[in-house]
Amino acid sequence: MIQAGLIVRRARVINIGSIRRNYSTTSLLRLSESISSSRRIKWVKLFSTFSSSNCTLGVKIILPRILTRKCDEKGNITTKKSPSPSPDPISLVSKGSFSAQPHVIFQNTFSSTANGESASNSENSDAIHPISKNQAKLLERTETLLSDDFPAGTLTVSQLIDVSNCIFLWINTGEHRYLGAKQAELLIKRLILERGGGKSLGEIDNENTMVEWDMLKFEKFVIYINSLYHGQDFTEKILSIVSFFEKEYISSTKTTTSLLDCRNLLEVPYKSIISTLCKRRTGHAAATAEQVLHRFETRLSSSSRNKYDNVNIAPYLHSNPPTVPTYNNVISCWFYSNSDNYPRHYEPNYFHDINPASNILYQMLHLYNLDPENMERIRPDYGSFNMAIASLSELQKNGNGFRSHQAIGKTCFDHLSTMIQFYKDGYEDCAPDYKIFLKVLNALELDRRRGNWSLARKVLEEMLHLSGTVDSNVYWTETMHQDASEKRDNKWKNVNVFPRTKDFNIILAMIANADVVDQEKLDYATNLVDLMEHLVKKERSGYDNESFSNRIVQFEGHGNSYNCKPDIFTYNTLISIAANAGRPEVAEETLKKMAKKSAAGDFSVKPDKTTFNTVISAWARSKTHSSGDKAAGVIHLMQKMADEGDESVRPDRISLTSVMNSLISSAKRSRNAPLQAEDIIQRMEQSKDSHLQPDTVTYTSLIKCWGQKGGLKAAERAEKIIDTLHKRYDDGYIECKPDSYAYNVALDTIAKSGVGDAAERAEAVLNRMKNLFNSGKTDLAPTTESFATVMNALARSGNPESGVKAEELLQTMHNLQNEGISNVEPNTIAYTTCIMAWRNSGHKDAGKRASFLLQKMEAYYDEGLHDLRPNVITYTNVMEAWISSGQHDSFERVKAILDHMIHRSKTVDSECAPTTICFNVALKAIRLSSEPMKDQKAQILFDRMKEMHESGDVKVKPSIQTYNAFFSACALTEGSPERRRAAFSIAIKALLELQKKSNMHADSYTWPAVWKLCENLLDAEKDISWINRVFEYTVKSGAINELLFNNIRRFLPKEYLKKKIKTEKDVYDLTVHDLPSEWTRNVTLGKQSKKNQKKGRRK
């Protein structure tokens, strides 16, 4: 309410300590008897409140207010001038005169400090201590020097020295630190006023010209207030002095109109101020130095010279403008202050980057690019770029770099690119060194942005180019090795940026971690390793390029490892790249290369477990027919080397599990894959090494391998392996503790095994899982996946009761969820699988139950449960459930669901919009319905589909399956011959429409469906013209296969077909091989035995 700042204007020093010991209302009234009662009413009430609550703070703050402020008749503080004037020294400074008043204690009102605490508490420490006699004398001496008895420009040399000495004394003596800071500030401003005021009066010969920078004691003053103030408080203190400099030195009382007059103005010591601030190396000192630098640069700019003044002046000329070292000084201050970002309270005058050092560098480049000729003085040099990149690297390492506009690595790359361009343009002070390149590479690697590997590649290319090793991109060509040994241009002979092994490894690691590793990246990585090997080879044989050899010696002299020899990490990363690119043979070839080098004595590249395991993983991920055998071969090699004495490569659990994964990939194509996996498990079980014992993950991989194989054996082994896990865990093998994931894999294997009792087996495993969980084994809690997998097994079984059982499981999930078990929450997959079970059951109530479940899902979703959002698959299965139920109104139900999907997609959920498959299912419903006029129903639905697609709905584009379904529906039209011919005419129009489409062609089901139209709707004798037309279309398609030929000759008259084939043989003695080649050009015909040749003969 009342701030801590105060001015005590009494002839005697008040002993605050005595007042603290007696702070009743009566004592306060006695002490304030000099104030009339009418003026102190409000203060007395306020002190009564503080007194009753024993608040000492009220005595310390409000009492000085009573004793030192004049009040109006209402008791409010007034700024009315008192009969005995005691002017505010701050206002006097601006006027150029001072009034002497004994024992004036100057205090200031402070804002919050950097750590969020108010400075008032520290100032109160000044208020509660009386000033000493020495300080009182110093204060009196100060007030004399600040009095208006000495106008600006009139102090003698001895008085100037006295002012300087007083500054020193206030900074270095006394308990009243904030008082000392304020007095020192006023004395500094007095010296500034002395110098500026005298100059403005034109008194060139006056002693005030003796005021020098050292007399201000500015460096000691900055050190002093740096210990008192933080953040914005510190900045405001310094800027108030800078503003006073500018006011007195630049904006004199006389308006400057000529360039000559402007030259006679005093120069503000901006660079000295900046240099002094930068020595502090704190965040607030750096922020203040940046602001001062910006003010300096702004005043030098004619376009914004009046920003800090209210008068019109000519462009400010300064004999010592800011230069690159000035900017570098501020950048360095930011860096050494450990300030990776701007402080929250500080808002920079320009913003290019969140990092202060990088932001200043961008500003230097911005100003330079605007006027390169005149701003050459601030063109960045090596120090500018190096410090900015180093600051960005620290920002990245500290994890403080949330950057919405760009990545840190990309920013470092941009700075390096600019630096290199300056150097290539002839500015040798921008020559990059190895350390800068390494910082940028590390920044790109830490960026975790997958696309940055291409930027890192450019960095490495520049290192190779500038070092004279190879030209840019030369290692993409076949002549790389020859070019590497040629002499280079000596233009960059002093740039020591020869890349080391770790630089190459960074690029390789970034390629390995890229989102997509293709053949191009693998080729680049392979060439990169080849280049490393070539450079090492040339080093050993001696270089023809003398300058390059000299650089090698220079690197060695600096104690840096210049060697770019590939190491174990290089080759392991190359193997990983090959694995990610799907080239396991390249990975294995690299392994053999490493083994060969190791055998020749190069033990630095001896393959380790990581090498072997990565190769095994490469084969496991390849999913080729021989992947399992290849991975097993690598594991056998590891075992052989271990048996020969190399224990470092003995297969471990990771190795064997990787082999298991490779066998999983080949299990569908290799009968022996599960047996090989079983053999590996058996060897692991028999091993005496505890690190080789199989664990839960290994056994789970074995179940997966059997799952890929399928069949009764797979289901039986899945159950047996679960039993093995329990047995081994009970025997003390804690690494074999069964968990929910192992059970879920077993359930999936059983469900997809294809055996008749798969559903019953899966239910038994799920019940076992639930019983174990209920007994306290929390690791075996059934999950949503567990129940959904069993429901999938029920759906696959096709049992009439599968829908009922699946819905019971769904209800069990809801019950467990209500009991607080969160990992069994029903979701879209669970509900859709349950509906699928009803669809496949063929139950008469399948459609009703499926629709009921769909309505529940929609209700849950509308209530905000988005995990139960019905999708297109859900709706399609409900439609199929109605079809399989065989109800008389199935088609109407299917059509209603289709209409509902269209309406809901426009009003509630756009994701449930129907697709082509939905319309195909509706056409299927027409075909299987009891509707006699199927052609008209199909035509209406087909036209609606095409209309929606032409309106922009790409999800309902008719497909070849749509046309096939349309033909099949029309083929079952009932009625008179005329009615059937009309249906055939509708279908033929659709066939002609299909033949005109360039992006859609008939498949193996289309022409059989068309001939089914002919067989059901036409008379072979009376409608021969229609039949002849269809026959010509069929022959022209070249798609007559064995099945279609059998259908045609079964329907067409024998003589008609013999004439078309041009044969005298019985058409039933012919095969598809006897037909003209043009009829069968678009189908694959296999060899047929004599038995198959007579397959079509009539019995």
Side-chain angles (χ1 to χ4, degrees):
M1 180 179 64
I2 300 176
Q3 297 178 349
L6 57 92
I7 301 179
V8 179
R9 295 187 181 91
R10 299 200 55 178
R12 60 185 176 84
V13 178
I14 300 174
N15 192 332
I16 300 293
S18 63
I19 297 175
R20 291 179 61 197
R21 291 189 293 271
N22 188 5
Y23 53 87
S24 65
T25 304
T26 305
S27 300
L28 293 175
L29 289 173
R30 188 181 302 118
L31 286 171
S32 59
E33 59 185 1
S34 61
I35 303 177
S36 62
S37 59
S38 61
R39 294 178 179 175
R40 65 173 182 261
I41 295 174
K42 183 175 182 180
W43 294 98
V44 170
K45 291 181 178 180
L46 183 58
F47 268 102
S48 298
T49 303
F50 281 116
S51 179
S52 61
S53 60
N54 292 328
C55 183
T56 306
L57 184 62
V59 178
K60 291 192 296 183
I61 298 180
I62 301 177
L63 179 58
R65 291 281 182 167
I66 297 177
L67 300 179
T68 61
R69 291 288 191 269
K70 293 299 182 180
C71 303
D72 57 21
E73 294 301 323
K74 296 182 179 181
N76 299 318
I77 295 176
T78 178
T79 58
K80 184 178 180 180
K81 191 174 182 179
S82 63
S84 299
S86 180
D88 185 357
I90 300 298
S91 62
L92 292 176
V93 170
S94 62
K95 294 178 181 178
S97 61
F98 296 85
S99 294
Q101 183 69 23
H103 302 289
V104 180
I105 301 178
F106 296 97
Q107 296 279 351
N108 190 21
T109 302
F110 302 94
S111 59
S112 60
T113 59
N115 58 5
E117 298 178 356
S118 174
S120 62
N121 292 337
S122 300
E123 293 184 356
N124 289 337
S125 65
D126 278 4
I128 63 176
H129 292 94
I131 62 174
S132 64
K133 291 182 179 180
N134 290 335
Q135 282 186 317
K137 291 180 180 180
L138 179 59
L139 185 60
E140 190 171 347
R141 178 180 169 189
T142 300
E143 290 163 353
T144 301
L145 294 172
L146 298 178
S147 68
D148 55 2
D149 294 338
F150 303 100
T154 62
L155 293 180
T156 63
V157 175
S158 61
Q159 288 173 323
L160 292 174
I161 295 174
D162 195 19
V163 173
S164 180
N165 290 337
C166 285
I167 295 173
F168 178 81
L169 291 173
W170 278 116
I171 291 173
N172 291 278
T173 61
E175 297 180 357
H176 293 264
R177 304 176 67 209
Y178 290 91
L179 169 63
K182 188 60 183 178
Q183 297 302 307
E185 178 186 349
L186 293 173
L187 290 169
I188 290 174
K189 291 181 177 179
R190 181 65 178 90
L191 288 178
I192 297 172
L193 180 66
E194 182 70 12
R195 177 72 167 168
K199 195 65 176 178
S200 65
L201 295 174
E203 300 175 2
I204 302 176
D205 297 331
N206 194 283
E207 281 84 353
N208 56 47
T209 59
M210 299 298 295
V211 177
E212 300 295 341
W213 171 256
D214 292 340
M215 297 179 67
L216 299 179
K217 308 295 182 185
F218 190 74
E219 183 171 354
K220 293 184 178 296
F221 175 74
V222 170
I223 296 174
Y224 189 60
I225 66 168
N226 185 61
S227 65
L228 297 178
Y229 302 100
H230 303 278
Q232 191 64 26
D233 297 328
F234 178 89
T235 301
E236 289 176 355
K237 285 288 181 184
I238 299 299
L239 291 184
S240 69
I241 295 177
V242 175
S243 298
F244 203 81
F245 261 119
E246 294 171 339
K247 186 173 182 62
E248 296 303 324
Y249 279 29
I250 303 175
S251 304
S252 63
T253 55
K254 296 181 180 181
T255 302
T256 303
T257 56
S258 67
L259 184 60
L260 181 61
D261 292 335
C262 182
R263 289 172 179 171
N264 290 331
L265 293 177
L266 294 172
E267 294 184 344
V268 178
Y270 286 109
K271 295 176 74 172
S272 297
I273 295 172
I274 293 170
S275 177
T276 302
L277 289 169
C278 290
K279 292 179 182 179
R280 296 303 93 219
R281 293 187 174 181
T282 59
H284 50 267
T288 307
E290 185 177 345
Q291 284 207 28
V292 174
L293 176 59
H294 179 70
R295 291 174 75 139
F296 191 10
E297 200 69 74
T298 303
R299 286 196 176 276
L300 295 175
S301 173
S302 60
S303 61
S304 56
R305 63 180 181 273
N306 298 322
K307 180 176 180 180
Y308 302 103
D309 301 304
N310 295 323
V311 296
N312 295 322
I313 62 173
Y316 180 51
L317 300 180
H318 203 289
S319 63
N320 191 16
T323 57
V324 175
T326 312
Y327 280 88
N328 289 353
N329 208 1
V330 180
I331 293 176
S332 176
C333 186
W334 274 117
F335 175 75
Y336 288 110
S337 68
N338 296 321
S339 299
D340 301 329
N341 295 319
Y342 279 109
R344 293 180 180 178
H345 72 275
Y346 179 70
E347 184 174 347
N349 299 101
Y350 44 83
F351 189 84
H352 307 284
D353 199 296
I354 193 173
N355 177 261
S358 179
N359 188 45
I360 296 173
L361 176 59
Y362 273 124
Q363 180 67 6
M364 294 173 70
L365 292 169
H366 171 71
L367 295 175
Y368 174 76
N369 292 329
L370 290 177
D371 190 1
E373 182 177 354
N374 293 325
M375 299 303 287
E376 174 66 23
R377 58 182 171 82
I378 63 168
R379 177 186 50 76
D381 61 3
Y382 170 86
S384 313
F385 289 104
N386 181 51
M387 201 63 68
I389 292 173
S391 183
L392 286 167
S393 299
E394 290 299 318
L395 170 63
Q396 189 179 47
K397 292 177 183 177
N398 295 337
N400 299 326
F402 175 76
R403 307 165 66 81
S404 59
H405 61 291
Q406 59 185 352
I408 293 177
K410 175 64 167 58
T411 307
C412 291
F413 174 81
D414 292 341
H415 289 330
L416 177 62
S417 299
T418 306
M419 184 181 188
I420 293 173
Q421 188 58 51
F422 275 135
Y423 174 65
K424 290 183 176 180
D425 290 342
Y427 297 103
E428 293 187 0
D429 58 352
C430 288
D433 61 6
Y434 174 75
K435 292 182 179 179
I436 279 192
F437 278 99
L438 183 59
K439 289 174 186 175
V440 175
L441 283 175
N442 287 329
L444 290 169
E445 182 185 24
L446 292 175
D447 229 2
R448 303 304 181 192
R449 291 168 64 93
R450 305 292 185 172
N452 276 356
W453 85 271
S454 59
L455 300 181
R457 164 187 167 179
K458 294 178 181 179
V459 173
L460 183 63
E461 288 177 2
E462 284 294 348
M463 295 177 74
L464 293 167
H465 185 42
L466 293 177
S467 64
T469 308
V470 294
D471 285 335
S472 296
N473 296 321
V474 75
Y475 39 84
W476 285 101
T477 68
E478 293 295 333
T479 60
M480 131 182 117
H481 302 312
Q482 291 79 8
D483 291 341
S485 60
E486 293 179 358
K487 290 188 176 182
R488 303 297 168 198
D489 187 357
N490 290 328
K491 181 179 180 179
W492 300 298
K493 62 182 180 180
N494 294 322
V495 184
N496 299 335
V497 293
F498 185 82
R500 279 66 153 176
T501 299
K502 58 184 175 183
D503 305 313
F504 287 96
N505 287 347
I506 289 174
I507 311 297
L508 293 172
M510 295 183 71
I511 296 175
N513 293 326
D515 285 332
V516 178
V517 180
D518 51 18
Q519 185 61 42
E520 180 183 357
K521 291 186 178 68
L522 176 60
D523 292 340
Y524 179 88
T526 303
N527 289 336
L528 211 57
V529 176
D530 290 344
L531 177 62
M532 295 173 70
E533 294 173 342
H534 174 72
L535 292 175
V536 172
K537 181 179 179 181
K538 294 298 293 182
E539 177 192 346
R540 292 173 178 173
S541 60
Y543 282 93
D544 296 330
N545 191 337
E546 182 180 356
S547 63
F548 181 74
S549 301
N550 291 335
R551 283 193 290 279
I552 295 296
V553 174
Q554 292 175 4
F555 296 148
E556 188 175 16
H558 283 84
N560 294 322
S561 175
Y562 62 87
N563 191 4
C564 63
K565 177 180 177 295
D567 57 14
I568 184 68
F569 182 85
T570 306
Y571 288 111
N572 283 351
T573 308
L574 180 60
I575 291 173
S576 179
I577 294 172
N580 294 339
R583 295 292 304 278
E585 67 279 4
V586 176
E588 187 164 353
E589 185 64 29
T590 305
L591 170 62
K592 293 178 180 178
K593 183 178 182 180
M594 294 172 68
K596 183 178 180 180
K597 286 178 173 288
S598 176
D602 188 359
F603 299 108
S604 63
V605 294
K606 178 184 175 183
D608 56 11
K609 283 185 181 180
T610 302
T611 311
F612 284 100
N613 290 343
T614 307
V615 174
I616 295 172
S617 176
W619 282 114
R621 294 162 58 183
S622 67
K623 298 182 180 180
T624 60
H625 177 73
S626 60
S627 60
D629 294 334
K630 292 289 187 179
V634 176
I635 206 75
H636 289 317
L637 177 60
M638 292 179 71
Q639 186 65 48
K640 179 182 178 182
M641 293 175 64
D643 294 340
E644 292 175 354
D646 190 357
E647 291 294 331
S648 64
V649 294
R650 184 174 293 278
D652 56 9
R653 190 180 297 159
I654 297 176
S655 310
L656 297 173
T657 303
S658 298
V659 175
M660 297 283 292
N661 291 331
S662 68
L663 293 172
I664 293 172
S665 303
S666 61
K668 285 186 176 180
R669 298 174 295 274
S670 175
R671 292 183 178 182
N672 296 326
L675 299 178
Q676 289 177 300
E678 292 277 7
D679 180 62
I680 292 174
I681 291 290
Q682 186 177 3
R683 290 170 56 190
M684 293 176 72
E685 291 175 342
Q686 294 173 354
S687 175
K688 296 180 180 180
D689 188 352
S690 59
H691 297 291
L692 283 178
Q693 290 295 316
D695 58 3
T696 305
V697 175
T698 313
Y699 281 107
T700 304
S701 298
L702 179 58
I703 299 174
K704 287 183 180 179
C705 192
W706 278 110
Q708 292 294 320
K709 183 68 175 176
L712 177 60
K713 185 68 174 179
E716 292 175 345
R717 286 300 299 151
E719 296 170 339
K720 185 65 176 177
I721 293 170
I722 291 295
D723 293 337
T724 301
L725 276 173
H726 281 284
K727 183 179 183 302
R728 288 183 65 84
Y729 182 69
D730 294 339
D731 291 342
Y733 295 95
I734 58 175
E735 67 273 6
C736 293
K737 185 178 183 180
D739 57 17
S740 297
Y741 182 72
Y743 267 84
N744 288 342
V745 173
L747 286 170
D748 186 66
T749 299
I750 295 170
K752 296 178 180 178
S753 63
V755 297
D757 60 343
E760 289 76 11
R761 289 174 180 267
E763 284 187 274
V765 174
L766 178 61
N767 290 332
R768 180 182 184 183
M769 195 176 180
K770 290 191 293 183
N771 293 334
L772 290 170
F773 172 69
N774 293 332
S775 66
K777 297 184 178 180
T778 56
D779 290 336
L780 293 174
T783 64
T784 302
E785 183 182 356
S786 308
F787 285 93
T789 304
V790 177
M791 285 190 280
N792 185 32
L794 290 168
R796 289 170 176 267
S797 69
N799 191 295
E801 299 299 320
S802 60
V804 177
K805 292 182 178 180
E807 196 166 346
E808 289 175 354
L809 290 175
L810 191 62
Q811 185 59 46
T812 302
M813 295 176 70
H814 279 289
N815 295 339
L816 292 174
Q817 180 188 7
N818 295 334
E819 294 175 4
I821 303 176
S822 59
N823 57 349
V824 292
E825 295 178 355
N827 57 14
T828 301
I829 295 176
Y831 265 84
T832 303
T833 307
C834 184
I835 292 173
M836 190 184 302
W838 276 111
R839 181 199 72 178
N840 295 342
S841 68
H843 198 281
K844 64 177 182 178
D845 294 331
K848 294 180 180 179
R849 297 308 303 168
S851 294
F852 171 74
L853 294 174
L854 175 61
Q855 291 173 2
K856 285 183 65 176
M857 290 183 71
E858 290 180 341
Y860 282 131
Y861 177 75
D862 295 342
E863 292 174 1
L865 297 177
H866 294 282
D867 287 340
L868 287 169
R869 182 184 198 177
N871 54 32
V872 175
I873 299 175
T874 310
Y875 286 99
T876 304
N877 275 286
V878 176
M879 296 165 69
E880 291 275 13
W882 275 108
I883 295 174
S884 66
S885 67
Q887 300 296 319
H888 67 280
D889 59 345
S890 294
F891 168 66
E892 286 73 15
R893 297 285 189 175
V894 170
K895 183 177 179 300
I897 294 172
L898 188 63
D899 294 337
H900 174 69
M901 291 177 69
I902 296 172
H903 174 73
R904 187 175 175 84
S905 66
K906 295 178 180 179
T907 57
V908 179
D909 183 10
S910 60
E911 292 299 319
C912 69
T915 62
T916 301
I917 295 176
C918 299
F919 279 91
N920 293 349
V921 172
L923 288 170
K924 175 184 176 182
I926 295 175
R927 176 172 62 86
L928 298 178
S929 69
S930 58
E931 176 66 39
M933 302 177 67
K934 292 181 175 64
D935 59 324
Q936 295 185 4
K937 296 289 184 181
Q939 183 68 54
I940 294 173
L941 192 65
F942 197 22
D943 290 343
R944 184 181 186 183
M945 184 182 185
K946 290 188 288 186
E947 181 182 352
M948 290 176 62
H949 177 65
E950 291 171 358
S951 300
D953 191 346
V954 296
K955 293 183 178 181
V956 293
K957 180 181 180 179
S959 64
I960 187 61
Q961 291 78 19
T962 308
Y963 282 93
N964 294 344
F966 179 74
F967 296 148
S968 298
C970 291
L972 297 179
T973 302
E974 301 175 0
S976 63
E978 291 75 14
R979 175 86 278 284
R980 292 198 298 271
R981 289 191 186 95
F984 182 83
S985 177
I986 292 174
I988 287 298
K989 289 181 180 179
L991 178 61
L992 295 176
E993 179 183 289
L994 172 62
Q995 289 184 320
K996 292 179 181 179
K997 293 182 178 294
S998 59
N999 58 348
M1000 189 183 303
H1001 304 282
D1003 61 10
S1004 58
Y1005 296 96
T1006 305
W1007 291 109
V1010 171
W1011 280 98
K1012 195 66 176 178
L1013 282 167
C1014 297
E1015 186 176 350
N1016 290 354
L1017 303 179
L1018 298 179
D1019 186 288
E1021 300 293 338
K1022 297 181 179 179
D1023 300 317
I1024 193 65
S1025 60
W1026 279 108
I1027 294 172
N1028 188 57
R1029 189 176 180 183
V1030 172
F1031 186 83
E1032 294 299 328
Y1033 290 153
T1034 306
V1035 170
K1036 187 177 181 181
S1037 70
I1040 300 179
N1041 56 18
E1042 184 84 26
L1043 176 63
L1044 181 57
F1045 180 55
N1046 287 336
N1047 292 339
I1048 291 175
R1049 66 184 172 184
R1050 185 172 58 245
F1051 171 68
L1052 290 178
K1054 205 183 282 189
E1055 295 301 322
Y1056 175 87
L1057 190 56
K1058 288 172 62 176
K1059 183 177 179 181
K1060 290 292 184 182
I1061 300 175
K1062 297 179 180 180
T1063 182
E1064 297 297 329
K1065 296 181 180 180
D1066 188 345
V1067 293
Y1068 291 100
D1069 290 334
L1070 301 176
T1071 67
V1072 69
H1073 293 274
D1074 297 322
L1075 300 178
S1077 59
E1078 292 184 359
W1079 295 17
T1080 61
R1081 67 181 184 277
N1082 291 326
V1083 295
T1084 302
L1085 302 178
K1087 295 182 179 179
Q1088 293 188 344
S1089 62
K1090 294 182 178 180
K1091 180 178 180 180
N1092 290 332
Q1093 291 177 5
K1094 299 180 179 180
K1095 185 177 180 180
R1097 184 181 299 276
R1098 291 193 182 190
K1099 295 181 181 180

